Amino acid sequence: MSFMGLNLLTIAYLLGSISFILGLKMLSSPATARKGNLLAAAGMGIAILATIFLYRDNETGEPLGNYGWIFGGLLIGTVAGTLAAKKVKMTAMPEMVSLFNGMGGACAALISLVEFSHISGSIQRSGIHEGHGGTVLIILLGLLIGSISFSGSMLAWGKLNGKVKDYSFAGQNVLNLLMLALALVATVWLVIHPESSYLIYVVLLLSLIYGIMFVLPIGGADMPVVISLLNSFTGVAAACGGFLYDNKVMLTGGILVGAAGTLLTILMCKAMNRSLKNVLIGSFGATASGAAATSAQGHYKEISLSDAATVMAYANKVMIVPGYGLAVAQAQHTCHELEKILTEKGVDVAYAIHPVAGRMPGHMNVLLAEADVAYDKLQEMEDANEGFKNTDVVLVLGANDVVNPAAKTDPASPIFGMPILDVELAKTVIVNKRSMKPGYAGIENGLFFQPKTSMLFGDAKKVLQDLCSEIKNI
Amino acid sequence: MEQVFNWITANQQILYIVILMIFVGIEVIGRVPSVLHTPLMSGANAIHGVVIIGAIIVMGKAEPGNYPALILGFLAVLLGTLNVVGGFVVTDRMLDMFKKKK
């Protein structure tokens, strides 16, 4: 029976591994993405159930015990995870991903802690064996990477929901590298002298602090990139567990995510036309002050609600440029409402979608889809830039850096080289913002001071509601 | 040095898997459009939740009286489950919104 069971376990793990590879493949194409996610989930379910019921210890052949604890953890985790994932608002989804990622990292770190105490116990009883060095190394790597991923993800989560501000000081990079080096030295020392078991807490503490310090100076707009990077870290931490237990499904799943996550991180940077090094080390704030000084001067003009309503109602073509402000205000439904009212008045309305508008790539597509905006109304950046010259009014809703002309004109600007939406090509530009405060990148926007631009201050939802009622009355 | 070579030989299967999986991981998502970056990240996030299997093994092997191991193991199972279930559900929600567009 136990032989049969182990064979079944092997097959279950094989199925799990295949489902992860296929699932990831399907996730990278729009038509199959959803099925891919479900396939990977099914594979995961099979692997988990098979582990619970079919796993046998290598040496003793014993099945797993403590079913009450296992099912208790699974049950609470499932209920809490489902509720959290179902209840979370669209705007908070990147935060949620970061939070879940941190949970995975913590899980890997906890496994390492328990396994280390096992191995150091056996060393105390029967001395050091030759194989211990490699095992201790894997355990410590799992702990190191898992802890960095955990504390880093928690901080990224705090940053995205606004609880933690960016903070950097001189010599931070040096201090960070020093801490990482110390953690690695402690790791190597432990591998050679596994009996100095207290050092594991040094490794744990240093990597937790390192995770925080590593994310602390990075700007909020770059958080998706950081989360993606930490995501691949957790993948590697999971793979360490796979190495430790000689467990192929953990190994394949972990390495797969580690590799794909690293590539995805680089692709995300490319979409913003930045390098990973630039995101991680050259944090936005350092160069922003120079660029801000040059364009901060100048006057902007405000437009009243009724004027804005009139201009839009009598336009032939209106392009809406949504940004993070729209997402924060949860104004996507009101925005769709405005689009319908304008369309009824015979205005041609479309949305210009910048690929990295918002807090995550594709944020605006998801947000507007939630409000049932028709797919063909959403124009990608290239098409939108073609269309702006025939556009009468561009309504910028809480977007800032993605329409900042400095990306094209000012080589000193930190966002120089990032592709932007050329809203200036349109006849008039109306910008809705809460205040004149610069956007997430912390840079002034020359667009706001141009003669054809007028500002419409206020919360996006409130302003859109007022616009809707004004336009209805025209 | 010899120890290192011994270790490599003893773990060669695993090392082969690691190297091949790195290439598979890169190959598989090479052509993802930028709109799918976030769901893909989220889906990958759920997949590394496979670390839960390690947590289950730790939990299942803990001796019933060893409370530190039981508690750490329980926490690991709990957090791993959050990663897996939350990860897949949130990805599904994201992708569900994409589907509606058509």
Side-chain angles (χ1 to χ4, degrees):
Chain A
M1 167 56 206
S2 96
F3 190 64
M4 182 70 195
L6 276 184
N7 281 346
L8 276 177
L9 184 64
T10 309
I11 292 168
Y13 282 170
L14 193 61
L15 287 177
S17 299
I18 295 171
S19 82
F20 293 162
I21 298 172
L22 275 179
L24 212 52
K25 172 96 195 154
M26 288 162 82
L27 265 169
S28 46
S29 154
T32 52
R34 201 165 178 212
K35 276 191 205 137
N37 184 50
L38 293 177
L39 180 69
M44 184 74 77
I46 292 173
I48 290 175
L49 287 177
T51 307
I52 297 176
F53 295 111
L54 302 172
Y55 183 88
R56 294 290 180 276
D57 189 277
N58 269 344
E59 286 147 32
T60 60
E62 295 265 321
L64 295 176
N66 302 321
Y67 277 2
W69 291 79
I70 294 178
F71 283 109
L74 283 174
L75 190 71
I76 301 174
T78 305
V79 172
T82 311
L83 280 180
K86 288 259 181 205
K87 288 263 159 72
V88 63
K89 283 193 202 127
M90 267 318 300
T91 41
M93 275 195 185
E95 284 154 59
M96 210 67 216
V97 173
S98 185
L99 194 65
F100 290 143
N101 182 44
M103 301 293 113
C107 179
L110 288 171
I111 293 171
S112 286
L113 278 180
V114 176
E115 286 302 325
F116 187 81
S117 78
H118 282 169
I119 203 165
S120 72
S122 95
I123 286 170
Q124 270 173 9
R125 282 193 303 273
S126 50
I128 300 166
H129 297 292
E130 202 195 303
H132 277 154
T135 314
V136 171
L137 179 67
I138 295 297
I139 291 178
L140 287 174
L141 283 181
L143 179 73
L144 189 85
I145 302 169
S147 313
I148 292 177
S149 182
F150 167 65
S151 62
S153 299
M154 287 301 122
L155 193 71
W157 172 68
K159 278 200 167 195
L160 277 175
N161 65 23
K163 289 199 183 96
V164 185
K165 295 274 165 281
D166 305 349
Y167 181 73
S168 59
F169 53 86
Q172 193 163 14
N173 286 330
V174 180
L175 184 70
N176 284 0
L177 283 178
L178 203 70
M179 264 195 299
L180 190 61
L182 264 179
L184 289 175
V185 167
T187 304
V188 172
W189 184 267
L190 258 176
V191 170
I192 304 169
H193 305 282
E195 68 278 4
S196 341
S197 57
Y198 64 91
L199 271 179
I200 189 142
Y201 298 107
V202 177
V203 175
L204 174 66
L205 197 67
L206 279 173
S207 29
L208 285 176
I209 301 175
Y210 177 77
I212 292 173
M213 299 290 280
F214 160 74
V215 179
L216 201 54
I218 300 171
D222 289 328
M223 275 310 125
V225 176
V226 174
I227 296 172
S228 173
L229 188 67
L230 293 172
N231 189 30
S232 68
F233 281 9
T234 313
V236 177
C240 288
F243 215 128
L244 191 61
Y245 297 119
D246 194 12
N247 185 306
K248 306 287 191 297
V249 75
M250 282 175 80
L251 192 66
T252 44
I255 296 289
L256 193 66
V257 173
T262 308
L263 178 64
L264 183 61
T265 311
I266 294 168
L267 290 177
M268 279 179 162
C269 288
K270 270 196 189 150
M272 293 192 268
N273 208 8
R274 306 185 52 204
S275 72
L276 185 57
K277 184 171 152 267
N278 186 271
V279 171
L280 296 183
I281 299 171
S283 48
F284 263 165
T287 44
S289 52
T294 54
S295 56
Q297 291 92 358
H299 295 284
Y300 59 87
K301 63 171 187 286
E302 283 190 55
I303 188 168
S304 70
L305 264 172
S306 53
D307 284 351
T310 317
V311 174
M312 287 168 70
Y314 290 104
N316 285 319
K317 189 176 173 194
V318 172
M319 288 279 256
I320 299 174
V321 178
Y324 187 61
L326 182 80
V328 174
Q330 283 289 303
Q332 63 272 33
H333 295 280
T334 327
C335 184
H336 184 44
E337 182 71 25
L338 177 74
E339 173 216 319
K340 281 191 287 192
I341 294 172
L342 282 173
T343 312
E344 278 164 25
K345 297 250 174 207
V347 185
D348 177 13
V349 190
Y351 296 84
I353 308 292
H354 190 282
V356 297
R359 283 293 178 277
M360 55 178 180
H363 199 166
M364 292 303 126
N365 300 65
V366 178
L367 189 74
L368 291 173
E370 193 197 347
D372 287 323
V373 173
Y375 186 46
D376 54 10
K377 291 271 182 198
L378 308 184
Q379 296 192 355
E380 305 239 339
M381 185 164 56
E382 287 78 19
D383 300 333
N385 280 342
E386 283 290 303
F388 279 130
K389 51 182 177 291
N390 306 319
T391 304
D392 301 301
V393 183
V394 169
L395 179 64
V396 179
L397 293 171
N400 192 342
D401 297 326
V402 296
V403 293
N404 192 338
K408 287 184 142 176
T409 55
D410 180 7
S413 170
I415 58 165
F416 183 70
M418 181 172 93
I420 56 159
L421 290 165
D422 300 320
V423 292
E424 314 153 85
L425 297 177
K427 293 200 185 76
T428 30
V429 180
I430 299 173
V431 179
N432 166 242
K433 265 167 78 46
R434 270 178 301 186
S435 68
M436 275 310 279
K437 272 202 342 219
Y440 225 94
I443 347 164
E444 286 291 342
N445 193 335
L447 175 74
F448 304 156
F449 304 104
Q450 287 185 359
K452 65 168 70 160
T453 309
S454 16
M455 309 299 292
L456 186 56
F457 292 116
D459 172 75
K461 192 168 188 173
K462 176 88 176 46
V463 165
L464 283 171
Q465 279 164 349
D466 294 347
L467 271 179
C468 285
S469 49
E470 285 281 345
I471 294 173
K472 270 187 200 150
N473 292 335
I474 288 174
Chain B
M1 207 60 212
E2 203 194 323
Q3 275 186 345
V4 176
F5 287 138
N6 284 343
W7 187 80
I8 290 175
T9 313
N11 295 293
Q12 54 165 316
Q13 251 196 8
I14 288 181
L15 293 173
Y16 270 96
I17 295 179
V18 168
I19 291 162
L20 292 175
M21 270 302 139
I22 292 175
F23 283 98
V24 170
I26 291 173
E27 198 55 43
V28 137
I29 66 147
R31 256 166 246 235
V32 57
S34 66
V35 236
L36 278 180
H37 281 171
T38 304
L40 181 63
M41 171 170 88
S42 180
N45 172 50
I47 290 176
H48 70 49
V50 72
V51 70
I52 179 141
I53 287 178
I56 292 172
I57 295 175
V58 160
M59 183 79 253
K61 280 185 178 177
E63 300 105 49
N66 185 353
Y67 282 100
L70 282 176
I71 290 166
L72 290 183
F74 177 74
L75 263 181
V77 172
L78 179 64
L79 297 180
T81 316
L82 275 173
N83 185 181
V84 171
V85 177
F88 281 121
V89 175
V90 101
T91 312
D92 192 59
R93 260 192 75 195
M94 283 184 200
L95 292 168
D96 185 36
M97 287 166 185
F98 276 89
K99 202 194 63 184
K100 267 201 239 158
K101 294 188 305 190
K102 287 174 186 162

